[in-house]
Amino acid sequence: MAEFLLLCGQDGVTDTYTPGNLEAIADRILPSNAPRNVDIVRNDGVVSCAINAPDSLATHGASVCLGQMIPPSEDWHEPGASRPDGSYGIARVDATSVELVADVTASRTLYYRLFDDLFVASSSQRAIGHFADEFVLNDTAIAWMISNGNLGPEQTWDERVDHVLPHGTVRLDRSIWDLTASTNPATFDPTDEPTSIHRDRLVAALDDTFGALDIDTARWEVPLSGGLDSREILRRVRDSDGPRAITWGTDEALENPESDAVRARELAEEYDVDHRYYSLPVAPDDAETVIERFVIASEGRVDNISGYLDGFDVFADLTHRGVEGLIRGDEGFGWKTVGSSQGVRQVIGARMVDDLNIFDSISVPGEHRQELPGRLTRAPRESVATWRDRLYHTYRIPILLAGLTSLKTPYIEVVNPFLTRRTLETVRRFPDDLRTEKQLYTEYVKEQSPEVPVATQSANPDAEQFLARDEVQAFLKTELDTDHAREIFGEELVDYAVEGLSDGNGAGETTEWTFDAVKRRVGRRLPTSMIRTIVTYTPVDRPVSSVSKSRLAFRLYIISTMTERLVNDANQL
């Protein structure tokens, strides 16, 4: 399922939008190599538009469910019905109301806006923008993108567009044209019980989840790495009908025994499943097309481009082969060892502009409004580790991981079975030590796994090296040295970002060995015990974070390009 778009209007307003209008929107919001199949349902003042919907997509009239309910629910399409479990985003409609329902982590983002006589909901911010008279930039999103490479909590590009929060519901009462929103807080309640009890609960939750996963594994594939999560998924579906695995990465990674590429191949052999390896270029021939498709697919939500340097040819091929979706391993079993509140924000991906040492004397739009919402701040007597994992469930998954999911859904569907409510509520009862470094889950998976070591190095190309290439820097420099970019960011920030970038003659910036860059390269090789020792005996304040000029220029390009596209979208209908 690429995208969905739902319109609910008053006084026949939805009748003014033709199939041609909706098909044009689909064409504009999709990458150039994505399919363009549009299914439209009209029913009692509501128009529901599904783009690239697989046969397995759950629909009922104008109601639609992205992702998967686990297990399937009979009354999922009825507003007011109980919330199903699973990894999904639901839009459900009847004669009196429209409801948008997010799963416990909002793993599939649902955006919406209420106009005077029209309610628009979509998985795409740009789709909603087509129904506006103008685009109003939310400068807080600029600050979050610059400091983290994502949009940040509760942020959208247009300040009048909202999205459904984790475990949230948005309801439109059609009779009085009134919109209400609610959410259930993520409650961690660690219990002091034997580890064996927690382990049994975890295993039972996973057994129930995969026992209720109702998909045709002959048409869904497992993206296999050398890590823990995908190997556990493969172990649990390997006895199904024809499961297959895929891995993508560089040719060089196939020669590195510690890489995801090699470990994935070994796991596929151990489990005796078909395995396909897609080769990604380190230096794509057409970098501009790669970057353009990335920004279109992501809608500027994330800057994690390294796995997509083929211009999404992997996903275009999956579509061509008839693959309906991927069974992915996004999860919330715990996270990295941290020793301070600043460390929590850093590992979660919630840094502030003030955390970056390059902005001491440069003004950044939106920086004075950049803060965590009250629901995400650390509670009294909440431990650092519990806050870290609560933020993982309520910030990192719905902001970063959901953004990464949105890169794939222009081509195929995605399900994340580890994100069921039952599984995450089980994890929320773990004491801190069983969640830190995913200790209990890691021990369990290793017990079940064949003796294939966990990979310590990614198979993907290095994004910093790609962004430091002469042709990429020359492109970014040209795109940023414009009146449009300077109007958004100001002269000082643009001048700082483009200073030192290459003109295409080999004289640009080289890859910087910042603290973050070193951490990316060596962190996965260190034993957990050593990481914990380093954190324990490191001062509370971590080294000041930095970002390379290439990365900064890329983030500014994302912002500039998205604002330009959204301005144009508002003038199309």
Side-chain angles (χ1 to χ4, degrees):
M1 171 74 177
E3 308 290 352
F4 95 97
L5 172 63
L6 184 141
L7 310 176
C8 178
Q10 293 183 310
D11 303 323
V13 67
T14 56
D15 294 336
T16 64
Y17 299 108
T18 68
N21 292 146
L22 302 178
E23 291 167 356
I25 292 173
D27 183 63
R28 288 173 55 80
I29 67 175
L30 292 172
S32 58
N33 62 344
R36 282 156 166 73
N37 303 313
V38 180
D39 298 314
I40 300 170
V41 174
R42 293 181 181 269
N43 184 17
D44 192 22
V46 175
V47 179
S48 179
C49 177
I51 307 167
N52 297 338
D55 294 340
S56 59
L57 185 76
T59 61
H60 189 283
S63 301
V64 62
C65 174
L66 310 180
Q68 292 284 322
M69 294 168 283
I70 307 174
S73 170
E74 291 294 328
D75 60 354
W76 68 269
H77 58 279
E78 299 175 4
S82 61
R83 183 189 306 269
D85 202 354
S87 171
Y88 60 77
I90 291 174
R92 51 195 189 185
V93 181
D94 65 14
T96 62
S97 62
V98 176
E99 270 189 357
L100 307 179
V101 183
D103 65 29
V104 70
T105 63
S107 64
R108 299 298 292 271
T109 312
L110 303 175
Y111 298 100
Y112 63 93
R113 183 180 172 189
L114 182 65
F115 296 85
D116 290 340
D117 57 359
L118 182 68
F119 176 69
V120 186
S122 181
S123 52
S124 164
Q125 294 184 62
R126 287 191 60 201
I128 294 175
H130 283 78
F131 298 89
D133 292 330
E134 62 177 348
F135 168 65
V136 179
L137 176 61
N138 170 24
D139 63 359
T140 310
I142 295 178
W144 283 102
M145 175 54 69
I146 287 175
S147 57
N148 295 283
N150 64 59
L151 281 185
E154 303 180 12
Q155 304 301 321
T156 58
W157 288 115
D158 189 310
E159 63 182 23
R160 302 160 302 176
V161 174
D162 292 299
H163 63 83
V164 186
L165 298 179
H167 217 178
T169 301
V170 171
R171 184 176 186 274
L172 173 68
D173 186 325
R174 298 175 64 179
S175 63
I176 59 175
W177 207 244
D178 181 61
L179 197 67
T180 57
S182 62
T183 184
N184 298 307
T187 302
F188 279 68
D189 186 20
T191 61
D192 185 17
E193 297 175 283
T195 298
S196 60
I197 298 296
H198 291 292
R199 184 186 186 281
D200 289 347
R201 289 188 185 127
L202 175 63
V203 174
L206 294 177
D207 287 347
D208 286 352
T209 294
F210 282 88
L213 184 61
D214 184 23
I215 60 175
D216 180 2
T217 53
R219 300 189 66 185
W220 287 66
E221 299 190 351
V222 178
L224 185 62
S225 71
L228 296 170
D229 308 316
S230 61
R231 74 174 63 194
E232 175 64 5
I233 289 175
L234 188 61
R235 183 183 76 84
R236 287 181 169 274
V237 303
R238 71 187 190 278
D239 294 329
S240 309
D241 181 24
R244 296 168 303 205
I246 60 169
T247 305
W248 54 87
T250 65
D251 289 337
E252 291 83 353
L254 290 170
E255 306 301 322
N256 182 350
E258 299 299 319
S259 74
D260 280 321
V262 172
R263 296 305 187 208
R265 181 176 60 198
E266 293 170 351
L267 284 167
E269 291 173 354
E270 287 285 342
Y271 285 127
D272 192 26
V273 298
D274 290 340
H275 180 238
R276 182 186 296 248
Y277 189 81
Y278 287 98
S279 179
L280 300 184
V282 175
D285 294 333
D286 188 351
E288 292 184 24
T289 296
V290 167
I291 293 172
E292 179 184 10
R293 286 179 183 170
F294 178 82
V295 175
I296 291 175
S298 69
E299 296 198 338
R301 295 177 59 181
V302 291
D303 74 340
N304 307 61
I305 195 172
S306 65
Y308 310 94
L309 296 189
D310 64 338
F312 294 88
D313 286 345
V314 168
F315 299 96
D317 184 69
L318 292 174
T319 301
H320 178 73
R321 292 198 290 113
V323 176
E324 286 201 351
L326 298 178
I327 313 172
R328 285 184 48 78
D330 291 354
E331 44 75 25
F333 296 116
W335 199 225
K336 301 173 183 178
T337 302
V338 291
S340 68
S341 294
Q342 181 187 2
V344 168
R345 289 192 295 102
Q346 185 165 317
V347 301
I348 289 296
R351 299 181 300 185
M352 305 294 174
V353 168
D354 288 343
D355 294 328
L356 301 178
N357 59 3
I358 62 175
F359 296 117
D360 292 341
S361 60
I362 300 176
S363 176
V364 173
E367 63 179 313
H368 299 299
R369 294 200 295 162
Q370 187 184 25
E371 61 182 3
L372 288 175
R375 67 183 179 87
L376 299 182
T377 58
R378 186 177 175 187
R381 297 184 296 278
E382 185 175 34
S383 71
V384 168
T386 296
W387 184 44
R388 171 203 65 201
D389 294 337
R390 184 166 64 85
L391 280 185
Y392 198 104
H393 288 189
T394 56
Y395 176 99
R396 189 172 178 86
I397 294 175
I399 304 303
L400 176 58
L401 300 189
L404 293 175
T405 293
S406 73
L407 288 166
K408 303 162 183 65
T409 53
Y411 303 87
I412 53 173
E413 254 298 342
V414 172
V415 62
N416 282 292
F418 289 143
L419 297 183
T420 60
R421 181 173 62 248
R422 177 174 178 183
T423 298
L424 294 179
E425 288 179 348
T426 298
V427 172
R428 292 172 184 176
R429 298 179 67 182
F430 290 179
D432 288 352
D433 62 313
L434 297 186
R435 283 183 276 104
T436 298
E437 302 292 342
K438 303 195 292 188
Q439 178 178 316
L440 179 56
Y441 169 75
T442 297
E443 292 174 354
Y444 165 70
V445 173
K446 286 185 174 180
E447 289 172 4
Q448 310 302 315
S449 170
E451 293 184 2
V452 174
V454 174
T456 60
Q457 297 179 39
S458 172
N460 283 334
D462 187 303
E464 291 294 333
Q465 292 181 9
F466 168 71
L467 294 174
R469 295 186 63 83
D470 286 345
E471 65 272 24
V472 174
Q473 293 200 354
F475 170 71
L476 295 176
K477 188 171 186 177
T478 299
E479 293 295 312
L480 291 178
D481 193 10
T482 64
D483 292 341
H484 173 70
R486 293 180 183 277
E487 181 180 354
I488 295 171
F489 305 117
E491 299 282 346
E492 192 176 27
L493 181 53
V494 172
D495 287 343
Y496 175 84
V498 301
E499 180 184 7
L501 291 184
S502 172
D503 291 313
N505 57 9
E509 173 197 55
T510 58
T511 301
E512 296 182 13
W513 282 85
T514 62
F515 170 75
D516 290 338
V518 173
K519 182 181 67 177
R520 281 195 303 272
R521 287 165 170 79
V522 305
R524 293 179 67 185
R525 304 184 189 185
L526 296 179
T528 298
S529 59
M530 184 177 295
I531 294 174
R532 288 182 173 176
T533 300
I534 291 172
V535 171
T536 300
Y537 293 100
T538 297
V540 171
D541 291 331
R542 290 190 166 204
V544 177
S545 300
S546 186
V547 60
S548 70
K549 281 193 176 180
S550 299
R551 178 68 68 172
L552 174 61
F554 182 48
R555 292 175 179 176
L556 296 185
Y557 168 80
I558 289 172
I559 297 165
S560 177
T561 301
M562 279 304 303
T563 56
E564 190 170 35
R565 289 184 181 276
L566 284 159
V567 167
N568 292 333
D569 290 341
N571 296 314
Q572 293 301 311
L573 294 182

